[in-house]
Structure formats: C-alpha cells, structure tokens
Amino acid sequence: MDRIETLLRLYEDDPMDPFTLFALGYEHLNQGNVERALHWYESICRVAPEYTGVYYHLGRLYARLGRKDSALQTFREGIAVCRKVRQTKDLSELQQALTELEDDE
C-alpha cells in the first residue's frame, strides 16, 4: 500500500484531521499532482483554519502556479491566524514569505 492509500484510510476515519489533510496534500505535491495538493491544502483552511502550518505551503503553491494575488491573500490570512493563536514560528515564516512576494512586485 502506498502512502496516499494509507492516508486516505486515515482520512476516512477522521475527515477533519488537519494533519492527515496536510499529509495528503504534501504527498500529492511530491508526486507532481499539483491540483490534488491544492485541493487538500485548501480543505484545511475550511475545516481547520487554525492549523497555521498550511498557510505557508498553500501560499507558496499559489505563487508557483502564478496566482500571486491568492498567495498574498493566503500569507496575510495565515499571519492573522498566527497572531490570534500566538504561533510565532509560523508567523515569522509567513511574514518573510509575504515580504519576499511583495518585493517581487
């Protein structure tokens, strides 16, 4: 059984678990299935918006796809969530990513 199949079984048991959703996105991205990765990352923002680790990866994926406005919005949303839940490590990464992307303008 491959990793995605294993993760899908975990997803069936708990479709709201943000770690499983993140892992599914990560595995799909590693296999080159960008659209599926995007689907899983976006789903985290809907079901577990306080899972701060997803905002960096989702923003970077949007940027990679040429969706700069979506990337900027995602980084800003992630920064707001990080401040709310006091997640300083992810906050720092998101602020740096936002600055870098804004500097590209």
Side-chain angles (χ1 to χ4, degrees):
M1 183 180 322
D2 74 357
R3 290 181 188 183
I4 291 179
E5 288 175 14
T6 301
L7 290 166
L8 286 171
R9 287 185 182 196
L10 292 171
Y11 172 73
E12 289 173 8
D13 291 338
D14 185 1
M16 304 295 277
D17 178 38
F19 180 77
T20 301
L21 298 172
F22 183 83
L24 280 161
Y26 185 81
E27 288 300 324
H28 278 285
L29 192 58
N30 282 342
Q31 292 184 10
N33 192 340
V34 175
E35 290 302 317
R36 290 302 298 159
L38 190 60
H39 163 79
W40 292 111
Y41 286 163
E42 289 174 337
S43 69
I44 297 169
C45 295
R46 288 189 302 276
V47 301
E50 291 186 354
Y51 189 77
T52 59
V54 73
Y55 292 95
Y56 177 85
H57 295 279
L58 179 56
R60 286 286 186 206
L61 186 52
Y62 281 139
R64 175 176 154 188
L65 294 171
R67 295 172 58 183
K68 189 172 182 176
D69 289 341
S70 294
L72 291 168
Q73 179 181 343
T74 299
F75 291 146
R76 289 179 182 128
E77 287 174 8
I79 287 168
V81 172
C82 286
R83 286 184 176 140
K84 177 182 171 189
V85 300
R86 296 192 163 112
Q87 173 47 274
T88 57
K89 180 186 176 291
D90 290 340
L91 174 63
S92 176
E93 290 176 348
L94 287 164
Q95 287 172 326
Q96 182 176 352
L98 177 63
T99 299
E100 289 172 5
L101 195 56
E102 287 175 333
D103 287 348
D104 286 347
E105 293 184 301

